[in-house]
């Protein structure tokens, strides 16, 4: 992460918009969880966004403007069988986002946690239950459109949490 940060600073001088979108999902029972799995999931889902936010917000603070989007999950609000590590990591990201929204507010840096429901990705193909239908999942482009839309608002616009779900009515 730090090497990528240095290269970006060298090439562009900094960034105005940070999108923390990496995520790791593993289904595991309590008995299957070990310390390595905990570290792996939290390293990607929580620690990386915290480190990236810390590094890239420096330049945003100097410029008195920035946007940070943490792509969470609706799982941050719900628990699920065999998904305790994923749910707890996304809940941690939500808490971090809420705190950063307040901490960075005076610098005109807006932090938003976007919590989509299931998305049409390879990760979304991991079945959670028999009632889920991959065809009804959100398209990744829809999430990107929300980020672009929210990025377009000026510094007085407040946005902190967005939950995205698709419901097919028949």
């Amino acid at each position: 992460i730090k090497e990528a940060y240095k290269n970006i600073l060298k090439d562009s001088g900094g960034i105005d918009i940070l999108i923390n979108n990496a995520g790791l999902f593993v289904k595991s029972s309590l008995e299957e969880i070990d310390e390595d799995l905990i570290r792996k999931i939290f390293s990607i889902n929580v620690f990386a966004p915290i480190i990236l936010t810390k590094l890239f917000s420096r330049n945003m603070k100097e410029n008195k403007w920035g946007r940070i989007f943490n792509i969470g999950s609706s799982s941050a609000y719900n628990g699920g069988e065999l998904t305790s590590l994923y749910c707890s990591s996304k809940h941690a990201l939500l808490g971090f986002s809420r705190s950063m929204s307040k901490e960075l507010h005076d610098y005109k840096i807006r932090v938003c946690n976007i919590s989509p429901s299931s998305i049409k990705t390879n990760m979304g193909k991991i079945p959670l239950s028999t009632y889920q239908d991959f065809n009804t999942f959100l398209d990744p482009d829809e999430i990107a459109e929300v980020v672009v839309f929210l990025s377009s608002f000026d510094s007085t616009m407040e946005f902190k949490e967005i939950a995205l779900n698709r419901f097919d009515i028949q």
Side-chain angles (χ1 to χ4, degrees):
I1 291 175
K2 290 179 182 177
E3 190 65 30
Y5 170 73
K6 289 177 189 175
N7 289 334
I8 291 169
L9 277 186
K10 183 177 70 174
D11 293 343
S12 66
I15 62 169
D16 298 318
I17 299 170
L18 172 63
I19 304 167
N20 290 310
N21 188 44
L24 178 63
F25 175 79
V26 176
K27 285 175 61 173
S28 59
S29 68
L30 182 60
E31 290 77 23
E32 295 169 321
I33 295 172
D34 61 27
E35 289 181 26
D36 289 337
L37 185 59
I38 296 167
R39 279 189 201 89
K40 185 175 183 178
I41 289 177
F42 273 77
S43 289
I44 293 169
N45 296 0
V46 182
F47 301 157
I50 291 172
I51 293 166
L52 287 164
T53 298
K54 178 181 177 178
L55 293 171
F56 285 109
S57 67
R58 294 172 184 165
N59 185 254
M60 292 177 187
K61 285 180 178 180
E62 291 173 12
N63 295 333
K64 294 279 190 196
W65 196 93
R67 300 291 179 262
I68 300 170
F69 295 95
N70 293 318
I71 309 300
S73 171
S74 60
S75 296
Y77 302 94
N78 305 306
E81 184 179 11
L82 305 177
T83 64
S84 61
L85 287 180
Y86 181 76
C87 292
S88 60
S89 70
K90 292 300 183 175
H91 190 73
L93 184 62
L94 174 62
F96 175 71
S97 299
R98 288 174 174 172
S99 295
M100 287 301 98
S101 179
K102 293 175 182 173
E103 185 171 326
L104 299 174
H105 180 270
D106 290 344
Y107 297 97
K108 298 192 179 2
I109 300 170
R110 300 299 178 249
V111 179
C112 182
N113 189 81
I114 298 177
S115 297
S117 58
S118 298
I119 302 173
K120 291 179 183 174
T121 62
N122 287 335
M123 189 168 75
K125 291 179 181 175
I126 301 170
L128 288 177
S129 66
T130 56
Y131 67 86
Q132 286 192 305
D133 180 359
F134 188 79
N135 295 318
T136 65
F137 290 5
L138 294 166
D139 189 280
D141 289 344
E142 294 173 300
I143 310 304
E145 289 172 14
V146 169
V147 171
V148 170
F149 177 71
L150 291 174
S151 297
S152 70
F153 288 102
D154 68 19
S155 62
T156 61
M157 178 71 174
E158 286 288 335
F159 47 86
K160 295 181 181 164
E161 295 176 33
I162 308 291
L164 302 172
N165 296 289
R166 166 170 283 135
F167 299 99
D168 287 343
I169 300 173
Q170 300 184 11

